[in-house]
Amino acid sequence: MTETTHPRTALPPGQRQIDFFPRFGRRVDQPPPTVPEHPTVVFGGALTTPIEIAVEELIGKDRRDLHADFHCVAGWSVTDLQWEGVAFAEVYRRYVAPALAPGTIVTHVRVRGLDGELFVAELDDLLADDVLLADRLGGRPLDGDHGAPLRLVNPAQYGYANIKHVCRIDVLAGAPAAGSPALVDRLLQSHPRARVWEEERHGTLPGWLIRPIYRLIKTVMLSAAARHSESGHQSNAK
Ligand SMILES: Nc1nc2c(c(=O)[nH]1)N[C@H]1C(S)=C(S)[C@@H](COP(=O)(O)O)O[C@H]1N2
Ligand SMILES: [Mo]
């Protein structure tokens, strides 16, 4: 099933289509993290006590299919990937909501990967119908390149909000306090909503202005990724 409110023929503003799915992101200089034999996700934050659930149980029996495009903030898009997994909203309803401390109003969700990468999303952005915790891509289990054992897939948000190797999800009753990020993080500061159709690429600069900088990064990183994909990873899986 395909759920999108935008025409399937169009790409979001400032995006260009590429014909393979690279391993990309802030941690590509490191190998993908080791996946534990029995992977789990720990749910914490505003819960009465944290809960740990096996990925297998999370996915459960009502596996869902999602055909969606993927958009990296650096400017590349891959069309029509086929993901399988469980709706984030379903996980929230099944496990999180019943475990909330009484009177808690959750506004934000911090999703963390085994490699330490994280993104704080607004809860409403993750409760959309087409947001999955996915364990399969192109009919096969997710590989290390694309987020094994489980990844967040939200087609409406840039890649950096689509956290791979998910191991922890904290629900928060308010936006977390901003730290004092390193210069490189300030330069490439994420947008709190990161919506691709609104071109919310950057926290403070307008999308069109930051485009050329990301495009440069894209050119450099994609050529490395293309070389890697020729050695036969899940890169063409659709
Ligand atoms: N855990 C984790 N998730 C991550 C990243 C990362 O470095 N680590 N990079 C993000 C960015 S910037 C992008 S564009 C996508 C890339 O996903 P892919 O490697 O499957 O193409 O993953 C996102 N999720
Ligand atoms: Mo990205």
Side-chain angles (χ1 to χ4, degrees):
M1 106 197 58
T2 299
E3 300 106 349
T4 173
T5 51
H6 300 278
R8 307 244 337 123
T9 45
L11 286 181
Q15 294 298 115
R16 290 186 195 160
Q17 188 173 345
I18 58 171
D19 63 2
F20 74 112
F21 190 25
R23 175 173 184 242
F24 211 81
R26 296 168 60 97
R27 313 258 175 170
V28 276
D29 56 320
Q30 303 160 24
T34 309
V35 176
E37 200 185 333
H38 300 289
T40 63
V41 177
V42 173
F43 294 83
L47 302 187
T48 42
T49 46
I51 42 179
E52 183 171 11
I53 300 163
V55 166
E56 209 182 310
E57 186 192 327
L58 270 183
I59 298 292
K61 285 171 196 71
D62 16 87
R63 183 178 279 288
R64 286 224 352 229
D65 218 17
L66 173 73
H67 291 257
D69 301 345
F70 188 92
H71 312 287
C72 170
V73 72
W76 56 266
S77 296
V78 193
T79 58
D80 203 30
L81 295 170
Q82 187 231 330
W83 303 98
E84 291 169 57
V86 60
F88 180 88
E90 171 65 16
V91 168
Y92 192 86
R93 190 188 60 76
R94 229 196 288 156
Y95 300 101
V96 178
L100 284 175
T104 308
I105 296 172
V106 175
T107 58
H108 291 75
V109 181
R110 182 169 52 224
V111 183
R112 189 188 294 272
L114 288 164
D115 57 357
E117 193 63 19
L118 58 85
F119 184 76
V120 179
E122 292 191 7
L123 175 64
D124 286 347
D125 284 334
L126 297 194
L127 292 181
D129 211 37
D130 57 353
V131 180
L132 289 195
L133 285 166
D135 68 333
R136 293 173 71 85
L137 166 64
R140 286 184 285 162
L142 267 186
D143 68 11
D145 284 357
H146 295 298
L150 189 72
R151 106 176 277 168
L152 187 71
V153 177
N154 185 357
Q157 290 185 309
Y158 285 115
Y160 63 73
N162 290 236
I163 292 295
K164 303 192 280 189
H165 323 293
V166 172
C167 64
R168 181 157 185 126
I169 295 176
D170 289 304
V171 292
L172 310 172
S180 42
L183 180 64
V184 58
D185 290 315
R186 251 178 290 157
L187 213 60
L188 297 180
Q189 188 187 91
S190 59
H191 188 286
R193 300 204 62 191
R195 291 172 300 173
V196 298
W197 291 93
E198 284 73 13
E199 204 175 357
E200 292 167 338
R201 287 182 202 273
H202 193 272
T204 45
L205 297 172
W208 60 267
L209 185 61
I210 197 82
R211 262 187 217 171
I213 295 170
Y214 282 125
R215 192 154 288 149
L216 194 70
I217 297 171
K218 178 181 90 164
T219 308
V220 173
M221 286 179 66
L222 269 190
S223 58
R227 257 176 276 130
H228 177 76
S229 87
E230 279 157 18
S231 54
H233 290 256
Q234 201 169 34
S235 306
N236 290 309
K238 288 197 177 180

